[in-house]
Amino acid sequence: MTRSRRIASSLRDLRSAAGSLPDAVVLLDNEQHVRWFNHAAEDLLGLRRPQDRGAHLDERLSTTELATWLKEGAREPLNDVAAPGHPNRHINVTLLPFGRRQRLLLARDISHLTRLEQIRRDFVANVSHELRTPLTVIHGYLELLDPEDVPELAPVLNEMRAQSKRMGQIVEDLLTLSRLETQEHVQDERVQMTPLLATIRKEAEALSQGRHQITVESTAEADLLGSVKDLHSAFSNLVSNAVRYTPTGGRISIRWRRTSEGAVYSVTDTGYGIPASHLARLTERFYRVSSSRSRESGGTGLGLSIVKHVLNLHQARLDIQSEPGQGSTFSCWFSSERLLAPGVSDPD
């Protein structure tokens, strides 16, 4: 009896602790019937005692994104969705295997993080917008000053012009990022790849100024469905990075080819390469593998972040393969749903 009481007491303590957690916890059987849930689940998910015990969870949440996620198998965590119990709050949800043929649904309130992220976006957008006008004025006056008129100040004026131009580019990239982060979809139109690749090659050759061998290979025989402006920005960012980080005499290959799942746009260089420890963080804004080399080359540290957001809006993904001293390959993978046959009318 003493042992039974200890076990019962431990179970009560465990249930009490789970019931007091700030995260919603729901215990489900193999068919997703609700067996138990804590107080946070009542608040965040809108579950009610005793009527929801034994209920099918996706039916109970039938009008929410959670229901669709559960019906599709809930293989990956569901991030930043409205809480069924509080539509003005946001949650992250995970479904984990538990015990014998049971599952544990965990939902965490991330409303405060969402608010902080929105404050950050608004701050960056507002500051960038306010900086644009004074920087334009400063750059305009610097252009009026001819270094030949004051030879002793020529190095200073040239450096001021270069830094003013770089600051302007940083502001423009920040504004582009702010726009992409708040977009939920793009206005789809035909993106003709043949002229786009030709434009990107001309831009790369102008930036390279003959220091690199640049080739374009296009075998996909397909156009893309998406935003011409945004895809041009993403593709040219990858090429300009390759030019900046490839020593003189190196090779840069731009390819557009078919795959079994769609098509891929890739940029391969023979540059410095990137250590594996840095690959996962390359798309973070202002993240640099080598700060001094990046600044010397004129980079803003925002290009790959822009690429990532553009690809997300096109349901595409970025893959990076690199080895120090061997160069890098940046690949943009598009699904077949984004491909259009050349010469075929655009979809309505």
Side-chain angles (χ1 to χ4, degrees):
M1 289 296 293
T2 302
R3 184 171 181 272
S4 297
R5 289 194 187 98
R6 284 201 303 268
I7 293 174
S9 176
S10 296
L11 288 173
R12 283 195 300 271
D13 291 344
L14 183 59
R15 176 168 292 191
S16 176
S20 301
L21 288 173
D23 297 342
V25 181
V26 183
L27 181 61
L28 306 169
D29 64 18
N30 194 47
E31 296 180 354
Q32 295 187 2
H33 291 103
V34 177
R35 297 193 59 190
W36 178 87
F37 53 89
N38 66 352
H39 295 298
E42 296 182 75
D43 185 38
L44 292 176
L45 302 180
L47 299 180
R48 295 292 177 263
R49 289 186 176 87
Q51 58 267 36
D52 286 334
R53 284 181 177 170
H56 206 282
L57 188 60
D58 64 359
E59 293 177 1
R60 175 63 182 80
L61 305 174
S62 59
T63 59
T64 69
E65 294 181 63
L66 283 175
T68 304
W69 175 68
L70 288 167
K71 288 177 181 177
E72 292 176 351
R75 295 177 183 85
E76 297 293 332
L78 185 62
N79 298 318
D80 199 5
V81 295
H86 285 279
N88 60 333
R89 292 163 70 179
H90 293 257
I91 57 175
N92 285 348
V93 191
T94 306
L95 191 64
L96 303 172
F98 176 77
R100 295 182 180 179
R101 300 172 62 83
Q102 297 181 86
R103 300 204 179 168
L104 199 63
L105 184 140
L106 304 175
R108 171 164 294 180
D109 187 352
I110 60 165
S111 300
H112 64 295
L113 296 177
T114 303
R115 285 193 296 271
L116 289 173
E117 181 64 17
Q118 188 59 50
I119 291 171
R120 180 192 65 79
R121 290 176 182 172
D122 291 343
F123 174 79
V124 170
N126 292 335
V127 169
S128 300
H129 184 74
E130 293 299 324
L131 284 174
R132 177 188 268 173
T133 300
L135 280 173
T136 301
V137 172
I138 292 170
H139 191 70
Y141 278 119
L142 287 172
E143 289 295 323
L144 291 176
L145 298 173
D146 191 344
E148 293 183 359
D149 294 337
V150 278
E152 66 276 11
L153 294 179
V156 175
L157 289 174
N158 289 331
E159 181 64 18
M160 290 172 70
R161 284 181 178 181
Q163 293 303 323
S164 172
K165 184 177 180 180
R166 182 167 177 269
M167 287 175 66
Q169 187 59 56
I170 290 174
V171 167
E172 292 303 319
D173 284 353
L174 282 171
L175 288 171
T176 298
L177 264 180
S178 296
R179 174 180 61 82
L180 292 171
E181 287 178 336
T182 56
Q183 272 187 251
E184 294 183 358
H185 56 81
V186 293
Q187 188 67 39
D188 285 335
E189 55 185 321
R190 175 180 289 276
V191 181
Q192 297 182 340
M193 290 301 293
T194 298
L196 178 56
L197 291 172
T199 299
I200 290 172
R201 179 174 187 167
K202 289 179 182 177
E203 293 172 349
E205 289 173 342
L207 184 62
S208 171
Q209 296 182 340
R211 294 181 296 111
H212 307 91
Q213 178 185 344
I214 299 172
T215 60
V216 175
E217 177 186 333
S218 179
T219 59
E221 297 185 353
D223 290 336
L224 276 171
L225 184 64
S227 166
V228 175
K229 176 183 176 182
D230 291 337
L231 287 173
H232 181 194
S233 174
F235 293 167
S236 63
N237 260 310
L238 294 180
V239 175
S240 62
N241 279 349
V243 172
R244 289 189 178 100
Y245 300 116
T246 300
T248 299
R251 298 185 307 277
I252 298 168
S253 302
I254 305 166
R255 296 186 178 90
W256 172 239
R257 59 184 177 82
R258 288 271 189 172
T259 67
S260 59
E261 298 177 353
V264 58
Y265 169 89
S266 63
V267 179
T268 301
D269 62 58
T270 57
Y272 302 109
I274 306 164
S277 59
H278 293 279
L279 294 180
R281 299 190 59 190
L282 282 181
T283 56
E284 295 178 13
R285 58 177 68 202
F286 295 117
Y287 185 81
R288 303 174 188 273
V289 176
S290 173
S291 298
S292 59
R293 184 181 294 162
S294 180
R295 291 190 178 93
E296 288 170 4
S297 66
T300 65
L302 296 168
L304 289 179
S305 187
I306 290 174
V307 172
K308 181 189 73 172
H309 282 86
V310 169
L311 293 182
N312 286 343
L313 288 171
H314 289 80
Q315 296 80 50
R317 61 182 177 87
L318 176 66
D319 179 69
I320 306 172
Q321 302 292 328
S322 185
E323 289 186 26
Q326 301 298 317
S328 308
T329 297
F330 291 77
S331 303
C332 306
W333 296 80
F334 295 89
S335 66
S336 57
E337 287 79 9
R338 282 280 168 187
L339 301 186
L340 297 172
V344 177
S345 299
D346 296 346
D348 296 332

